[in-house]
Amino acid sequence: MDYKQKFWDSSAEAKEIYIPHLSADAVIFGFEKNELKVLLLKMSYRGQWMLPGGYIRKDENLDDALARILKTRVGVSGIYLEEFAVFGKKNRSEFYFEDFDESLFQKQRFISIGYYALYNSSVITPIPDEFSEVCEWIYLSELPDIELAMDHREIIEKALLALREKIAIKPIGYNLLPEKFTLSELQKLYETILGMSLNRGNFYRKIKNLGILTKLDEQRRGGAHKSPDLYTFNEENYAKALENGLNNW
Amino acid sequence: MDYKQKFWDSSAEAKEIYIPHLSADAVIFGFEKNELKVLLLKMSYRGQWMLPGGYIRKDENLDDALARILKTRVGVSGIYLEEFAVFGKKNRSEFYFEDFDESLFQKQRFISIGYYALYNSSVITPIPDEFSEVCEWIYLSELPDIELAMDHREIIEKALLALREKIAIKPIGYNLLPEKFTLSELQKLYETILGMSLNRGNFYRKIKNLGILTKLDEQRRGGAHKSPDLYTFNEENYAKALENGLNNW
């Protein structure tokens, strides 16, 4: 089917059901091979990559809209999203659909609400929607080599900064690491998010002091060195720390 | 002039110039007598208090809209605002203008973007807009006794939580304290925002370690006790800490 016709069909419906000028975009982070990655769609139109995003129905709570958008666009549910910034510059979206005239719903000014989420990428089987060729995890290190639509590169960068601020005050890792992990793997996650090396001794001391870890009676075998201890998150304390934050004062 | 007519006049203009369904609200915090306070307007209509807020022009950057809204509604400019949450539940605004029919611009579903700011209340002379009787600083401790419009109480509470998270990672005080202050006054500010007492020795040590303070060769005179040293913020280091954040790892 002609992709143009597909957009026009969806535009007609969109005008009926969605709030105009307002959209939402989600930056879903995963962690693999000691690297952060982000879930992106490659649009059939123009072939650029973009964040899964969408619009808010006139009769729908904002939270419900986000859940629906992620379900529809990448086939994923049950993700906890954190709102981090609103992107409201003029002309960020107005000219993207350059081959269409302005009666297309998608071709208008959108102020977009940015959300991020952390997700265990091994449990997601991303499913591209009807407007996309593929839906894939892209490593942050690969982003400079791909074309991103509109201001989606800026949205990803801001999401990373927001995540960086967040790990100063909230525990992190539950959705990103496997159930059992070594302290060195956890440190690598923090270093990746912070974009800097951490002193091993300090990190181990601080992270243990949070009380969110349970040391298992198991070691990671197979490495060249001494087998390191495995840990798991203490769910109750982790949840408490999430709610109350880590008091640094 | 009849207040109803005023709303209808403004509604007609609003339909021309503003994006529908989208608003912004600002929680402007001040600090006085060791207490946080917030800048509110008392609407002539229904007599309830509300946050200064408004709409975004179709041809205006979001940032510019916020600056214009604060200028117009409370007569204040040059405030640095931080976006902290979006309020998007159905029916948060739909029924507020109960005496009007639905063709009034103001009587529709608004998804509102929440901002907070810290401001030195001694330099603000709040000016109420044409829809408000008064524009005043209200102490947080007084909020339980006043009526707030729509979900504005929830917006203020969320702003306080966001501010609480922020002081774990950013320096604070520049816009809230007088130029010269004692460590005890600074500690009181932190305690007020955090809603908890802090150990004095720990706090003094941590805050000094940040490198954002300059000790002056002056003391606060007049108290019953030993005259405490006065401090001021080191602007350069403060700005650096604001930009880079306080690394807690």
Side-chain angles (χ1 to χ4, degrees):
Chain A
M1 181 181 170
D2 173 25
Y3 76 86
K4 276 207 167 188
Q5 191 53 48
K6 228 192 254 181
F7 276 117
W8 280 119
D9 290 350
S10 118
S11 168
E13 196 198 358
K15 281 181 193 173
E16 292 285 315
I17 61 176
Y18 296 125
I19 291 175
H21 299 298
L22 191 61
S23 61
D25 285 295
V27 182
I28 303 174
F29 289 111
F31 186 68
E32 200 187 329
K33 297 180 188 155
N34 290 331
E35 264 210 75
L36 283 175
K37 47 188 190 174
V38 58
L39 194 57
L40 295 174
L41 291 159
K42 189 172 188 180
M43 293 264 285
S44 314
Y45 176 63
R46 292 183 63 168
Q48 294 179 321
W49 292 87
M50 63 186 355
L51 295 163
Y55 314 115
I56 295 102
R57 294 180 68 113
K58 290 173 184 165
D59 60 353
E60 182 179 47
N61 291 318
L62 181 57
D63 291 350
D64 298 332
L66 263 293
R68 177 186 48 74
I69 288 167
L70 289 185
K71 184 75 194 156
T72 322
R73 298 221 53 192
V74 293
V76 157
S77 29
I79 293 196
Y80 172 75
L81 290 156
E82 178 109 7
E83 191 270 325
F84 69 93
V86 179
F87 298 85
K89 284 207 190 100
K90 272 185 298 181
N91 301 332
R92 56 173 295 284
S93 62
E94 285 86 324
F95 305 111
Y96 188 71
F97 288 88
E98 54 190 8
D99 305 333
F100 296 81
D101 72 45
E102 282 162 26
S103 62
L104 187 80
F105 180 84
Q106 293 89 329
K107 189 188 171 96
Q108 62 175 301
R109 175 180 183 186
F110 285 107
I111 290 178
S112 194
I113 311 173
Y115 291 82
Y116 74 78
L118 304 173
Y119 214 70
N120 185 341
S121 54
S122 65
V123 307
I124 292 188
T125 312
I127 304 168
D129 66 8
E130 56 173 333
F131 297 102
S132 312
E133 291 168 19
V134 283
C135 177
E136 260 178 35
W137 290 100
I138 305 286
Y139 285 103
L140 294 196
S141 59
E142 296 171 324
L143 288 184
D145 303 322
I146 65 170
E147 257 193 84
L148 282 154
M150 297 184 255
D151 56 356
H152 287 203
R153 193 180 297 278
E154 183 195 342
I155 296 178
I156 296 170
E157 284 164 2
K158 285 237 171 123
L160 184 60
L161 290 179
L163 179 57
R164 220 169 254 183
E165 293 200 343
K166 208 66 177 182
I167 69 170
I169 43 181
K170 300 277 177 172
I172 228 162
Y174 193 75
N175 295 318
L176 293 175
L177 291 173
E179 200 196 333
K180 300 170 183 185
F181 50 85
T182 66
L183 288 185
S184 147
E185 286 162 358
L186 184 58
Q187 179 176 347
K188 197 70 209 168
L189 171 63
Y190 274 79
E191 290 181 333
T192 302
I193 293 173
L194 288 168
M196 63 192 286
S197 299
L198 298 173
N199 175 282
R200 182 175 139 140
N202 282 347
F203 178 77
Y204 282 20
R205 184 175 47 77
K206 283 196 183 181
I207 202 84
K208 284 180 184 170
N209 278 345
L210 297 183
I212 57 172
L213 298 177
T214 302
K215 188 172 162 181
L216 300 171
D217 193 20
E218 279 181 68
Q219 286 77 33
R220 169 90 74 233
R221 310 265 173 210
H225 301 286
K226 181 172 168 288
S227 304
D229 289 318
L230 284 171
Y231 287 78
T232 192
F233 287 113
N234 176 318
E235 287 196 32
E236 195 185 330
N237 290 354
Y238 191 99
K240 234 183 272 173
L242 253 194
E243 199 187 319
N244 303 330
L246 314 172
N247 177 19
N248 298 293
W249 294 96
Chain B
M1 181 180 169
D2 173 25
Y3 77 85
K4 277 207 167 189
Q5 191 52 49
K6 228 191 252 182
F7 277 118
W8 281 118
D9 291 350
S10 117
S11 168
E13 196 198 358
K15 283 182 194 176
E16 292 285 315
I17 61 177
Y18 295 126
I19 291 175
H21 300 298
L22 191 62
S23 62
D25 285 296
V27 182
I28 304 174
F29 289 111
F31 186 68
E32 200 187 327
K33 297 180 188 155
N34 289 331
E35 265 210 75
L36 282 175
K37 47 188 190 174
V38 59
L39 194 57
L40 295 175
L41 291 158
K42 190 172 188 180
M43 291 265 284
S44 314
Y45 176 62
R46 292 183 64 170
Q48 294 179 320
W49 293 87
M50 62 186 355
L51 295 164
Y55 313 115
I56 295 102
R57 295 180 68 114
K58 291 174 185 166
D59 60 354
E60 183 180 46
N61 290 317
L62 181 56
D63 291 349
D64 299 331
L66 263 293
R68 177 186 49 73
I69 288 168
L70 289 185
K71 183 76 193 156
T72 322
R73 297 223 51 194
V74 293
V76 157
S77 29
I79 293 195
Y80 172 75
L81 291 155
E82 178 110 6
E83 192 270 325
F84 70 94
V86 179
F87 298 85
K89 284 205 190 99
K90 270 186 299 180
N91 301 332
R92 56 173 296 282
S93 63
E94 284 86 325
F95 305 111
Y96 188 71
F97 288 89
E98 53 190 10
D99 306 333
F100 295 83
D101 73 43
E102 283 163 26
S103 62
L104 186 80
F105 179 83
Q106 292 89 330
K107 190 188 173 94
Q108 61 175 303
R109 175 179 184 187
F110 285 107
I111 291 179
S112 194
I113 311 173
Y115 292 82
Y116 74 78
L118 305 173
Y119 213 70
N120 185 341
S121 55
S122 66
V123 306
I124 292 188
T125 312
I127 304 167
D129 66 9
E130 56 173 331
F131 297 102
S132 313
E133 290 169 19
V134 282
C135 177
E136 260 178 37
W137 290 100
I138 305 285
Y139 285 102
L140 294 196
S141 58
E142 297 172 324
L143 288 184
D145 303 322
I146 65 170
E147 258 193 82
L148 283 155
M150 299 183 255
D151 56 355
H152 287 203
R153 193 180 298 277
E154 183 195 344
I155 296 179
I156 296 170
E157 283 164 4
K158 286 238 172 123
L160 183 60
L161 290 179
L163 179 57
R164 220 167 254 183
E165 294 200 341
K166 208 66 177 183
I167 70 170
I169 41 180
K170 301 277 177 170
I172 229 163
Y174 192 74
N175 295 319
L176 292 175
L177 291 174
E179 200 196 333
K180 301 170 182 184
F181 50 85
T182 65
L183 288 186
S184 147
E185 287 161 358
L186 185 57
Q187 180 177 346
K188 198 69 208 166
L189 171 63
Y190 273 78
E191 291 181 333
T192 302
I193 292 173
L194 288 168
M196 64 190 289
S197 300
L198 298 173
N199 176 282
R200 183 175 138 140
N202 283 349
F203 177 77
Y204 282 21
R205 184 176 46 79
K206 282 195 182 180
I207 201 85
K208 284 180 183 170
N209 279 345
L210 297 184
I212 57 172
L213 298 177
T214 302
K215 188 173 163 182
L216 299 171
D217 193 19
E218 278 180 70
Q219 286 77 33
R220 169 90 75 229
R221 308 268 173 208
H225 302 284
K226 181 172 169 287
S227 304
D229 289 318
L230 285 170
Y231 287 78
T232 192
F233 287 113
N234 177 318
E235 287 196 32
E236 195 185 331
N237 289 355
Y238 192 99
K240 233 182 274 174
L242 254 193
E243 199 187 319
N244 303 331
L246 314 172
N247 177 19
N248 297 293
W249 293 96

